[in-house]
Amino acid sequence: MTMESVLETIGSFEEAAWNLVGIPVIIIVAIYLTIRTGGVQIRHLPDMLRSITDKAQKDENGRTRSLSAFQAFTVTTSARVGTGNIAGVAGAIAMGGPGAIFWMWIMAIFNSAASFVESTLAQLYKTRRFDTYKGGPAYYIQRGLGSRSGGIVFAVIFIFCFAFSFTSLQANTIVDAVTGAASEFGMEDTTALVWILAIILTALTGIIVVAGLRRVAQVTQNVVPIMAILYILVGLVVVAMNIDQLPTVVALIFGEAFNFQAAAGGAFGAMIMAGIQRGMFSNEAGMGSVPNVAATADVSHPAKQGLVQTLGVYLDTLIICSVTAFIILFTFPDTTADANLGAELTQSALVANFGSFGAILLAVIIFLLAFTSVLGNYSFGEANILFISSSETLRKIYAVALTAVVFLGAVISVDLAWTIAGVTMVILAMFNLLVIMEMSGTAVKLLKHYQAQRKQGLDPVFLASDMPELRNVECWTEEDMKDYLAAQRQASTAS
């Protein structure tokens, strides 16, 4: 069997899985959770901004007990903000046209309710390990649904389908961008460059991930704000350079989104599919990835991290993905291209605006985006490895294996990387979405508990004893929350 036939077979399965199962389930669950939470993703925007600044408690040695809310946010953002924001958006436009961006926005807003639910559940059912917390879908499947075997199945699928396949895609996109920049400056044969990049990426990844989650958090909390600001600034410069075209591009996005004349030929469905699929790949809302790190934050209430991670969806899709969309559509408003073009389309648009310097600029940005995504993906996978076994040796074996995947991803073809990622994404998303739909009642209870304290003017604190009907809750005792309770009492007395 040739590589082309393998790609065709996997691609056919991917298309069928998304069209017949993936898209309908995502839409139904997103609308259901939006209604059930009362539109939490819209009503509580001020609380999202407030919760992200919460400080972690400290132990008797003065060291933070786990990651802060901001550190957890940067680690998850480092995984969210990557190839999906550049190559993924370009692919969505190539597959579905400019209208796909509108549907990407709409689904980000609705599906962010899923992000709130999954991250809140991950916080509730987290467990202590050494100097941090661990949690995620595998943990809330075991503790909330009472199924250890179900949690293990999810963990195994996640490790092989997400941590490894998405990591290979990030490495692939870095190489694609750097070799594209090299070609722009006249390098005809980039074979040697590919292997050099593969070795460099592998070495950098290994040095960081073998040290564990805290090292990853230290790197991402410094790099993520820089890379996000840099890319947004690039986008603003492109908008300023093409300001006269802005009304036309906005009209194009909205006009194509409701171009029902295309429905008869199937183009309308392809546009919606492109927006939803690539949007989920970008922001990962409901996919079951983000909760693995959301659980590590030391916060006073589970709903707080749910709100923080909802804000992450907005940053990823409504801001950073929009930057890419405008960069491309200012330059190629009528683009119809191979959906696997990925970063090349964005790179060509920047070259058109900045000359050859644009290729270098994007290569640097993609390196920062995709490399921090590799680190974020490591963190996601680590939580699932430790769910299966708490062995430190197993964790280090996983770190080495992920490092090897970085090398392989750097040298495989871009279309193979995207196809594998598309298949694995739909499997994980369906598993997790059905689980959080089943468990959404618990998340709603926690949201109401949070809202009740906010109405009293308090900084919400949750104790397991507040909801004795919830079983297998480990980390929410008075001892665990003593600093938060003291701060709440002090604030209440002062007022």
Side-chain angles (χ1 to χ4, degrees), residues 14 16 85 99 128 185 205 275 285 290 357 391 409:
E14 176 193 5
N85 300 84
R128 166 67 69 177
F185 280 87
T205 302
V290 168
F357 173 71
S391 167

Side-chain angles (χ1 to χ4, degrees), residues 24-211:
V25 170
I26 292 170
I27 293 173
I28 291 170
V29 174
I31 294 173
Y32 172 79
L33 293 179
T34 295
I35 294 172
R36 183 144 201 203
T37 60
V40 62
Q41 68 269 46
I42 298 172
R43 291 189 297 114
H44 284 286
L45 184 59
D47 288 301
M48 297 176 199
L49 299 171
R50 186 181 299 112
S51 296
I52 200 172
T53 61
D54 278 9
K55 305 296 184 183
Q57 298 178 102
K58 294 185 177 181
D59 60 23
E60 59 275 8
N61 298 318
R63 190 184 190 196
T64 55
R65 293 172 55 183
S66 188
L67 304 188
S68 67
F70 180 72
Q71 284 180 315
F73 177 78
T74 59
V75 173
T76 54
T77 301
S78 72
R80 276 192 175 115
V81 180
T83 59
N85 300 84
I86 296 178
V89 173
I93 294 173
M95 285 195 300
I101 301 304
F102 172 84
W103 295 107
M104 188 180 285
W105 291 336
I106 293 298
M107 283 311 302
I109 295 171
F110 275 94
N111 208 30
S112 58
S115 188
F116 170 82
V117 171
E118 64 181 355
S119 293
T120 299
L121 291 172
Q123 267 289 319
L124 176 66
Y125 291 112
K126 67 187 179 182
T127 184
R128 166 67 69 177
R129 183 180 188 271
F130 300 152
D131 61 350
T132 186
Y133 295 108
K134 293 297 175 189
Y139 296 79
Y140 57 67
I141 289 170
Q142 176 182 339
R143 293 169 176 256
L145 296 181
S147 176
R148 168 72 178 170
S149 59
I152 289 176
V153 170
F154 181 91
V156 171
I157 293 174
F158 187 93
I159 292 163
F160 286 97
C161 293
F162 186 96
F164 289 158
S165 72
F166 276 37
T167 294
S168 69
L169 180 58
Q170 305 292 353
N172 187 276
T173 304
I174 291 174
V175 172
D176 192 36
V178 174
T179 54
S183 298
E184 186 67 30
F185 280 87
M187 181 179 287
E188 296 181 1
D189 185 359
T190 58
T191 304
L193 180 59
V194 168
W195 290 100
I196 292 171
L197 289 170
I199 293 170
I200 292 173
L201 288 173
T202 303
L204 288 174
T205 302
I207 291 170
I208 296 171
V209 303
V210 170

Side-chain angles (χ1 to χ4, degrees), residues 277-415:
Q277 180 190 22
R278 295 304 174 102
M280 174 168 269
F281 173 72
S282 175
N283 60 52
E284 300 179 21
M287 198 188 300
S289 53
V290 168
N292 293 285
V293 173
T296 65
D298 183 32
V299 293
S300 66
H301 198 288
K304 283 189 172 184
Q305 192 59 202
L307 293 169
V308 167
Q309 296 307 331
T310 302
L311 182 65
V313 176
Y314 291 163
L315 171 64
D316 177 276
T317 306
L318 300 185
I319 297 178
I320 298 180
C321 283
S322 298
V323 168
T324 302
F326 284 117
I327 288 173
I328 293 172
L329 293 175
F330 279 136
T331 311
F332 306 115
D334 300 318
T335 185
T336 53
D338 181 356
N340 289 317
L341 264 181
E344 292 178 20
L345 191 58
T346 312
Q347 199 163 45
S348 297
L350 283 178
V351 169
N353 283 278
F354 298 113
S356 298
F357 173 71
I360 297 177
L361 184 62
L362 187 65
V364 172
I365 291 171
I366 284 183
F367 181 89
L368 293 174
L369 292 173
F371 183 67
T372 53
S373 288
V374 169
L375 301 181
N377 290 346
Y378 162 79
S379 303
F380 293 165
E382 181 192 77
N384 288 277
I385 284 288
L386 295 174
F387 176 81
I388 297 171
S389 171
S390 59
S391 167
E392 179 66 11
T393 300
L394 182 61
R395 185 198 70 80
K396 288 185 177 180
I397 291 173
Y398 161 69
V400 172
L402 182 131
T403 303
V405 167
V406 170
F407 183 85
L408 293 174
V411 298
I412 65 175
S413 66
V414 64
D415 51 352

Side-chain angles (χ1 to χ4, degrees), residues 460-481:
V461 177
F462 174 76
L463 297 173
S465 57
D466 294 340
M467 296 184 185
E469 70 275 15
L470 298 179
R471 301 171 60 186
N472 302 318
V473 177
E474 176 185 323
C475 295
W476 298 93
T477 65
E478 289 194 18
E479 178 63 24
D480 291 321
M481 296 289 106

Side-chain angles (χ1 to χ4, degrees), residues 251-274:
L252 182 65
I253 292 173
F254 282 85
E256 288 296 313
F258 296 98
N259 182 9
F260 296 110
Q261 293 180 344
F268 187 70
M271 173 176 61
I272 294 178
M273 176 183 170

